[in-house]
Amino acid sequence: QLLAEDEPDVGDLLVDVSLFAAPSVNDCITVMSKSSSANQKGIVGVYVGSTGTGFVPAALGEYATGGLDAKSEFVLKPEYADMYDTYRCIGINAIGEGKLNVCGQGGDIEIGDLICASDMAGKGMKQADDLYHSYTVAKARQAVTFSSPDEVVQIACIYVSG
């Protein structure tokens, strides 16, 4: 979930901020925001879009009961009924292949370079070394030459954490 006012671009890095609900060992819903500092730990994935207000996460929903002929609808549990007043549910990519937004703060990127968070909100950058760290996010699948440290492009990658 994202705070309603925190609007990332598709491809931005997201980090956990707090736990929203954890009703079982299989279901943990967190509040996320864009990454905000170089080498930031806690990156959980790459923003792919909002699921909309009609989406009911399995961890926060239940089947409504009706009469014998009524179809059971999956709805938000009463304690989460006002969730969309403050939060919105989103989709993220983590582990596997895809794309992410990177900037030139760490320099030009070559195929195989490791990517970590930069100081630009939500943007990755070339990691300073080739060792996997707790803050390593991805491995570049394409090269890019930046015209400035603030230039942002979306590149193909393999997500290595999330």
Side-chain angles (χ1 to χ4, degrees):
Q1 294 197 60
L2 283 175
L3 292 170
E5 70 273 1
D6 192 16
E7 185 62 39
D9 295 322
V10 170
D12 277 356
L13 301 175
L14 299 178
V15 61
D16 279 333
V17 174
S18 62
L19 182 66
F20 180 78
S24 77
V25 71
N26 295 323
D27 300 306
C28 295
I29 306 288
T30 61
V31 176
M32 293 178 256
S33 68
K34 292 183 282 188
S35 62
S36 59
S37 61
N39 301 323
Q40 186 172 3
K41 296 179 185 179
I43 304 291
V44 293
V46 173
Y47 178 73
V48 297
S50 176
T51 59
T53 57
F55 177 76
V56 178
L60 307 181
E62 63 187 3
Y63 286 99
T65 56
L68 292 176
D69 296 328
K71 291 185 178 180
S72 191
E73 181 183 8
F74 197 68
V75 298
L76 283 171
K77 293 176 183 174
E79 61 264 37
Y80 303 116
D82 62 352
M83 173 182 77
Y84 286 108
D85 294 344
T86 307
Y87 303 101
R88 59 194 173 91
C89 292
I90 61 163
I92 62 170
N93 282 349
I95 307 296
E97 64 83 30
K99 289 184 170 183
L100 60 81
N101 297 331
V102 293
C103 68
Q105 283 186 2
D108 295 339
I109 296 173
E110 297 178 3
I111 293 173
D113 281 342
L114 298 178
I115 308 295
C116 63
S118 73
D119 289 327
M120 289 183 72
K123 311 308 183 229
M125 68 176 179
K126 177 181 175 179
Q127 189 174 290
D129 61 24
D130 62 354
L131 302 174
Y132 285 88
H133 297 278
S134 58
Y135 53 83
T136 304
V137 175
K139 185 176 180 180
R141 297 184 76 190
Q142 72 181 81
V144 62
T145 301
F146 295 97
S147 58
S148 76
D150 294 332
E151 182 182 2
V152 175
V153 297
Q154 196 171 78
I155 64 167
C157 69
I158 297 172
Y159 309 118
V160 297
S161 68

